């Protein structure tokens, strides 16, 4: 039974509970290890255990449950290959403790806080904090309706992010989630006066290396902490690495009273690791094979991402959508905790519109006239109406052609197509591949451009003039250059 049961009463001949428990490995099943503590009081649930074996680094376990008065079941946070029965296990008497504070800024850590960037070791006096902490009390939490500008037009227009809020980007494989997260890092960290914590959950090694080198090159690494539990690591590491990153963010929020930007890629891998462990633990699966504790595991993670008076934690999370099924239980469970939901569309990606954000499926609680203002809200609603009508007419256009539409529908289609192209933009992180310099556009310029297109200012422009640009002024210059070239030829 997985419960934080009280420590058993010491029997005659047993060591008192104050003595660190020493046990031996009883069985190993992948990431699940049973440990026997004969003669000792059992360590509480979530206690860290250390195995000193014939490897350069010790193996860390975390107590998951008590099987009987002398045996615990633990989850390994590193690979258990080569672990033998009867190997000695020591209880640390505390949860997994990870380094926090200014000393880890600019460093790359793993799930247990070990430095993995081949840099110098952390100073001896670096403070440490346990990875299991309760969320802030409800009366201590604050809500903030300040808009967090990203410089990405479609997000700032239709799914604005809240400073101190939670946003998630949902998309299938290969539609641009990681690129979008990396662009948000580039767009915001440089102008964002706070600390950034990046959690790579189940990331590919290549992606982690690219992010580290990009941050070093752009100079933003000095105010960022990178925490990785990579795809090739055991499920225990991928399951706990978000808690390590959260613990670091909480320290800067609670002790340093600094704003924190928390980025996670990919939260679905956290759920997936939990499902792997649930299977190894022998639990009966729930819907679609997920763990029965799916909702409580996601809630325990998301409820800790909160802002308190004087310091905000702004979370941006990428979420993989298996088989592009947005009704998947993991996707719906994660989305229920979000303030802003950004949906990525494979259809838009296939058509070459990047970022491939679906403007109709994306939403935000901030898109309210009382928050963003009447002008922004009216422009966003007009844009949604035009794009929705264009979507409704696409089947007719495919069958009969746009010429068969009425005059008003033809006008809507013309403007919606131009708006769709205007909402695309080149990214800084893709500049090396595309050769096009990245663009960051202010919210005011985005609104000005959208209003002008919806009012018909660009009706006579070529659609290509609005594709992959920043502001409307850039499109105007592009159109003028194209017109001049056509006239001279």
């Amino acid at each position: 039974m997985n419960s934080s049961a009280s420590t058993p009463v010491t029997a005659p001949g047993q060591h008192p509970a104050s003595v660190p428990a020493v046990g031996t490995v009883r069985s190993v099943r992948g990431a699940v290890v049973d440990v026997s503590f004969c003669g000792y009081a059992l360590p509480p649930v979530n206690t860290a255990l250390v195995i000193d074996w014939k490897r350069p680094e010790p193996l860390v376990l975390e107590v998951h449950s008590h099987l009987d008065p002398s045996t615990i079941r633990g989850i390994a946070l590193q690979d258990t290959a080569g672990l033998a029965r009867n190997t000695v296990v020591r209880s640390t008497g505390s949860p997994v403790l990870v380094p926090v504070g200014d000393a880890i800024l600019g460093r790359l850590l793993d799930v247990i806080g070990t430095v993995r960037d081949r840099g110098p070791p952390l100073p001896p006096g670096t403070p440490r904090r346990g990875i299991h902490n309760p969320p802030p009390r409800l009366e201590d939490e604050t809500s903030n309706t300040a808009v967090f500008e990203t410089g990405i037009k479609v997000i700032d227009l239709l799914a604005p992010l809240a400073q101190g809020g939670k946003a998630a980007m949902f998309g299938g494989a290969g539609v641009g989630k990681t690129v979008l997260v990396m662009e948000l890092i580039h767009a915001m960290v440089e102008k964002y006066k706070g600390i950034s914590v990046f959690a790579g959950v189940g990331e590919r090694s290549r992606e982690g290396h690219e992010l580290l080198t990009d941050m070093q090159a752009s100079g933003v690494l000095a105010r960022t902490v990178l925490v990785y539990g990579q795809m090739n690591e055991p499920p225990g590491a991928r399951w706990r690495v978000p808690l390590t990153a959260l613990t670091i963010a909480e320290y800067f929020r609670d002790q340093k009273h600094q704003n924190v930007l928390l980025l996670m890629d990919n939260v679905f891998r956290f759920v997936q690791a939990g499902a792997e462990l649930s299977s190894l633990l022998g639990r009966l699966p729930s819907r679609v094979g997920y763990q029965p504790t799916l909702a409580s595991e996601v809630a325990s993670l998301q409820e800790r991402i909160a802002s308190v008076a004087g310091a905000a934690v702004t979370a941006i999370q990428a979420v993989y959508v298996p088989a592009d099924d947005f009704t998947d239980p993991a996707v719906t469970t994660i989305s229920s905790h979000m303030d802003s939901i950004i949906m990525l569309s494979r259809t838009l990606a296939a058509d070459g519109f990047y970022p491939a954000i679906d403007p109709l499926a994306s939403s935000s609680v901030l898109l309210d006239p009382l928050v963003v203002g009447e002008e922004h809200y009216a422009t966003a609603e007009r844009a949604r109406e035009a794009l929705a009508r264009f979507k409704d007419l696409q089947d007719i256009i495919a069958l009969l052609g746009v010429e068969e539409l009425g005059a008003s529908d033809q006008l809507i289609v013309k403007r919606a197509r131009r708006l769709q192209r205007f909402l695309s933009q080149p990214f800084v992180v893709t500049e090396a591949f595309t050769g096009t310099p990245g663009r960051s556009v202010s919210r005011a310029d985005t609104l000005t451009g959208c209003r002008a297109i919806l009012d018909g200012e660009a009706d006579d422009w070529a659609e290509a003039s609005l594709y992959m640009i920043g502001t409307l002024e850039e499109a105007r210059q592009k159109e003028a250059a194209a017109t001049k070239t056509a006239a001279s030829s």
Side-chain angles (χ1 to χ4, degrees):
M1 180 176 171
N2 181 10
S3 63
S4 52
S6 58
T7 305
V9 176
T10 307
Q14 282 188 323
H15 296 277
S18 59
V19 176
V22 177
T24 55
V25 174
R26 190 161 121 184
S27 67
V28 182
R29 291 183 307 285
V32 176
V33 182
D34 292 350
V35 181
S36 179
F37 286 95
C38 293
Y40 288 90
L42 290 184
V45 169
N46 292 333
T47 299
L49 312 177
V50 178
I51 301 176
D52 292 314
W53 56 336
K54 296 176 182 178
R55 295 291 172 90
E57 296 180 354
L59 172 63
V60 177
L61 308 179
E62 188 178 79
V63 178
H64 178 270
S65 56
H66 294 171
L67 298 182
D68 59 46
S70 63
T71 310
I72 65 95
R73 178 157 287 168
I75 302 295
L77 302 184
Q78 291 117 333
D79 192 7
T80 57
L83 180 61
R85 293 180 66 186
N86 298 320
T87 305
V88 175
V89 181
R90 294 183 294 104
S91 170
T92 63
S94 67
V96 174
L97 299 175
V98 295
V100 293
D102 294 336
I104 62 170
L105 289 174
R107 308 305 300 270
L108 188 149
L109 311 175
D110 66 8
V111 64
I112 59 171
T114 307
V115 176
R116 295 294 183 188
D117 55 12
R118 298 180 181 177
L122 297 175
T126 304
R128 288 181 174 264
R129 187 166 175 165
I131 65 171
H132 296 282
N133 300 297
R137 295 183 306 169
L138 197 59
E139 58 264 34
D140 294 336
E141 291 188 23
T142 58
S143 59
N144 197 336
T145 56
V147 176
F148 201 70
E149 282 196 31
T150 64
I152 298 172
K153 290 180 283 191
V154 65
I155 293 179
D156 289 342
L157 174 69
L158 298 171
L161 308 187
Q163 184 167 340
K166 287 180 279 204
M169 292 169 292
F170 296 90
V175 295
K177 295 182 301 301
T178 299
V179 169
L180 195 52
V181 168
M182 291 176 70
E183 182 66 19
L184 285 166
I185 292 170
H186 275 273
M188 293 189 295
V189 171
E190 292 180 5
K191 63 181 178 183
Y192 178 76
K193 305 304 179 189
I195 302 298
S196 296
V197 180
F198 180 86
V201 187
E203 284 280 86
R204 300 173 183 87
S205 301
R206 170 186 58 77
E207 292 170 343
H209 184 262
E210 283 177 2
L211 183 65
L212 179 62
T213 52
D214 284 353
M215 284 192 156
Q216 286 172 334
S218 61
V220 300
L221 187 62
R223 305 206 43 88
T224 305
V225 183
L226 304 177
V227 187
Y228 273 91
Q230 294 184 142
M231 194 177 281
N232 61 331
E233 295 188 53
R238 288 178 272 125
W239 193 47
R240 288 311 192 201
V241 77
L243 302 189
T244 301
L246 250 176
T247 301
I248 293 167
E250 287 169 340
Y251 178 84
F252 285 110
R253 178 195 68 191
D254 299 335
Q255 306 300 319
K256 298 285 189 176
H257 307 292
Q258 290 176 292
N259 291 336
V260 182
L261 177 62
L262 176 65
L263 300 123
M264 288 193 193
D265 186 9
N266 180 314
V267 181
F268 178 79
R269 305 294 179 202
F270 161 74
V271 173
Q272 196 175 43
E276 289 177 44
L277 291 171
S278 182
S279 179
L280 288 169
L281 291 165
R283 294 182 186 145
L284 286 173
S286 64
R287 285 191 305 150
V288 200
Y290 286 110
Q291 61 270 45
T293 52
L294 171 65
S296 58
E297 285 179 14
V298 171
S300 65
L301 172 69
Q302 299 293 344
E303 286 177 7
R304 283 177 61 181
I305 304 173
S307 301
V308 297
V313 176
T314 305
I316 298 171
Q317 306 170 35
V319 184
Y320 167 70
V321 179
D324 289 346
D325 179 12
F326 288 93
T327 64
D328 186 86
V331 174
T332 55
T333 302
I334 294 168
S335 64
S336 65
H337 294 272
M338 298 299 148
D339 301 314
S340 300
I341 294 173
I342 298 163
M343 296 289 194
L344 291 149
S345 164
R346 189 170 301 282
T347 304
L348 289 172
D351 290 341
F353 293 109
Y354 290 101
I357 295 170
D358 188 334
L360 301 177
S362 302
S363 62
S364 171
V365 295
L366 263 68
L367 195 58
D368 183 291
L370 297 174
V371 178
V372 296
E374 292 284 354
E375 191 178 355
H376 183 155
Y377 181 76
T379 304
E381 285 300 294
R382 286 182 66 195
R384 277 193 199 278
E385 286 172 14
L387 293 167
R389 184 59 181 158
F390 176 45
K391 186 177 181 181
D392 290 342
L393 294 169
Q394 278 182 331
D395 287 343
I396 298 171
I397 295 168
L399 288 170
L400 303 174
V402 73
E403 296 80 10
E404 297 300 316
L405 299 176
S408 62
D409 282 342
Q410 285 191 30
L411 191 62
I412 287 172
V413 168
K414 180 187 287 188
R415 291 176 182 175
R417 286 176 63 87
R418 282 159 176 75
L419 181 65
Q420 198 175 43
R421 281 150 181 77
F422 177 67
L423 292 178
S424 67
Q425 71 188 83
F427 281 170
V428 173
V429 295
T430 59
E431 188 175 329
F433 310 106
T434 63
T436 306
R439 302 285 192 278
S440 180
V441 184
S442 69
R443 186 160 63 114
D445 286 340
T446 298
L447 294 175
T448 301
C450 289
R451 276 197 304 272
I453 292 167
L454 292 167
D455 289 340
E457 188 176 322
D459 284 357
D460 297 326
W461 296 4
E463 291 178 0
S465 298
L466 293 151
Y467 178 66
M468 282 292 176
I469 48 112
T471 63
L472 191 70
E473 184 57 37
E474 188 180 338
R476 188 177 283 110
Q477 293 170 5
K478 200 172 173 182
E479 175 67 17
T483 305
K484 186 177 179 181
T485 303
S488 62
S489 60

